[in-house]
Amino acid sequence: MSSHAIHSDHEMKKDELKQQHTSITSSTTPLYTVTPIQPFGAKITGIDLSTAQISNALIESIRADIHKHELIIFKHQSPNNNFIVPPSKRLEIAQKLGTIISSHYHHPNAPHRDIFRVSNDAKKGCLNVGRTGWHLDGSFLPKPYNFSMMHIISAPKPGYGQTAFISSRLAVEQVLQKHSQLEELNGVLHRLYFVGTSPNHAIHPVIYPHPVTKKPTMLLHLGMTSAFIEVYDAFKHLAIDEAIKLHQQKDGDKKVLKVYDSAQTQQMLNKLASFIDICKQNGLQSCSWSKAGCLTEFSSDPKNKTALYESGFI
């Protein structure tokens, strides 16, 4: 989910108008209008979250649209409050979407402990957040976030410090599975697990079916990976803890799995970075704000004007 106020509007193209649909309640009362955007995601208009009643119907509609479009952007929010949705309203939405996870640093200027305040100005927010590489939010945790909710307080100007997104589903379906030069990598990634950094050392499959949509999803962090575990074909049907246990029982039998050393881990990270570059070359990158199964690359250029956003994780 995402909130982002664009500096200037533009007239919608005819094909965009045809793609518009309205999320409705059971009484057919419109909640908001959804306009799909390319290469993925959707723009939400016709609702102001700062004044709207956060009903169960609205939450379920938002949840469904996140799963359908992977990234949703609420436009023109809170015009009567300097385009800032009150923190209490954002927390209300997040609490109804799920359980808020506050695993982040707390900046003294954050309006609430459950809101992560990020900036390129140390006086206004936490610095250098998410700039170590493409990643899924919360991948360092044993149970990563279901959603990330971001509210842009001050957006960087075009070309400086945008946060970019790639649909992990499209990355798998349109690039990894279709490009012949990635055939070997495709085979490895489907039996590969990444191990996060200290203190959690969380272990997650790199590719897995999304728990709701069942479509392929990636989970990785190019800047916070300590190792990879490759489970061999004969044992890839096992849960990772079972495979590790069997590996230990066999006294490190290499026929069960392989734990990558530092050099092998870096080589795989380089291959993943190259794969993401191919995704970008194939037009899969979107410079917007949000997440639901999206790889993310944050950038807050210190030379840019103040960039500031507040996010919550669910």
Side-chain angles (χ1 to χ4, degrees):
M1 179 181 177
S2 172
S3 297
H4 180 38
I6 302 295
H7 292 299
S8 61
D9 296 326
H10 62 278
E11 186 177 354
M12 292 183 183
K13 298 177 182 179
K14 291 182 179 179
D15 58 342
E16 287 181 322
L17 291 171
K18 290 179 180 178
Q19 289 180 322
Q20 282 189 347
H21 68 270
T22 302
S23 292
I24 57 175
T25 66
S26 57
S27 63
T28 69
T29 302
L31 291 172
Y32 50 71
T33 299
V34 181
T35 305
I37 57 178
Q38 296 299 325
F40 67 98
K43 181 170 55 179
I44 308 296
T45 54
I47 187 172
D48 184 352
L49 295 175
S50 67
T51 57
Q53 179 183 356
I54 311 303
S55 64
N56 291 336
L58 176 59
I59 291 298
E60 291 312 307
S61 184
I62 289 174
R63 190 192 308 275
D65 281 321
I66 293 174
H67 288 143
K68 179 178 180 179
H69 300 285
E70 302 175 51
L71 175 154
I72 60 175
I73 303 168
F74 285 84
K75 299 273 289 181
H76 310 301
Q77 298 299 295
S78 199
N80 297 323
N81 188 38
N82 199 28
F83 297 99
I84 298 175
V85 178
S88 59
K89 204 73 171 184
R90 285 179 266 153
L91 290 170
E92 181 184 0
I93 295 169
Q95 288 164 348
K96 290 188 175 182
L97 276 171
T99 301
I100 298 176
I101 306 298
S102 297
S103 56
H104 49 75
Y105 298 113
H106 179 59
H107 193 275
N109 283 336
H112 191 278
R113 177 63 185 89
D114 289 335
I115 293 177
F116 188 23
R117 192 171 174 89
V118 175
S119 180
N120 58 354
D121 183 339
K123 296 178 181 179
K124 297 184 178 181
C126 297
L127 299 178
N128 298 318
V129 174
R131 299 187 67 198
T132 55
W134 287 88
H135 63 277
L136 263 291
D137 285 344
S139 56
F140 60 91
L141 296 171
K143 292 184 178 181
Y145 313 127
N146 291 319
F147 308 105
S148 293
M149 178 177 171
M150 300 181 181
H151 185 34
I152 312 310
I153 306 300
S154 176
K157 57 186 177 182
Y160 296 88
Q162 271 69 30
T163 292
F165 294 85
I166 290 177
S167 164
S168 59
R169 173 186 60 82
L170 294 179
V172 174
E173 293 179 343
Q174 295 190 12
V175 176
L176 188 63
Q177 295 177 348
K178 292 187 176 182
H179 287 238
S180 58
Q181 72 267 35
L182 297 174
E183 182 177 355
E184 181 179 353
L185 180 64
N186 182 33
V188 173
L189 293 185
H190 278 84
R191 57 177 183 267
L192 195 69
Y193 292 77
F194 93 88
V195 182
T197 52
S198 178
N200 296 311
H201 294 290
I203 302 175
H204 299 295
V206 173
I207 297 178
Y208 65 100
H210 189 281
V212 176
T213 66
K214 307 305 179 185
K215 295 178 180 179
T217 300
M218 298 189 72
L219 209 164
L220 53 83
H221 198 308
L222 298 190
M224 294 181 67
T225 298
S226 61
F228 287 101
I229 299 173
E230 183 179 344
V231 180
Y232 293 114
D233 285 338
F235 300 95
K236 68 179 183 180
H237 64 283
L238 297 176
I240 186 59
D241 55 342
E242 295 176 351
I244 292 173
K245 184 177 181 180
L246 184 61
H247 173 74
Q248 293 170 337
Q249 290 173 347
K250 289 180 174 288
D251 194 25
D253 189 338
K254 295 182 179 179
K255 294 180 180 179
V256 178
L257 58 80
K258 176 176 72 175
V259 180
Y260 285 29
D261 61 24
S262 296
Q264 292 169 327
T265 296
Q266 188 57 56
Q267 289 173 1
M268 178 54 67
L269 289 171
N270 292 341
K271 289 180 180 179
L272 287 167
S274 297
F275 161 58
I276 292 173
D277 283 340
I278 295 174
C279 292
K280 292 163 63 177
Q281 293 165 11
N282 279 263
L284 298 190
Q285 176 175 295
S286 176
C287 286
S288 302
W289 299 83
S290 184
K291 175 240 174 184
C294 302
L295 298 174
T296 311
E297 183 177 55
F298 289 143
S299 177
S300 296
D301 189 340
K303 298 178 182 178
N304 186 31
K305 72 170 188 177
T306 298
L308 178 63
Y309 74 86
E310 297 176 340
S311 60
F313 306 103
I314 307 155

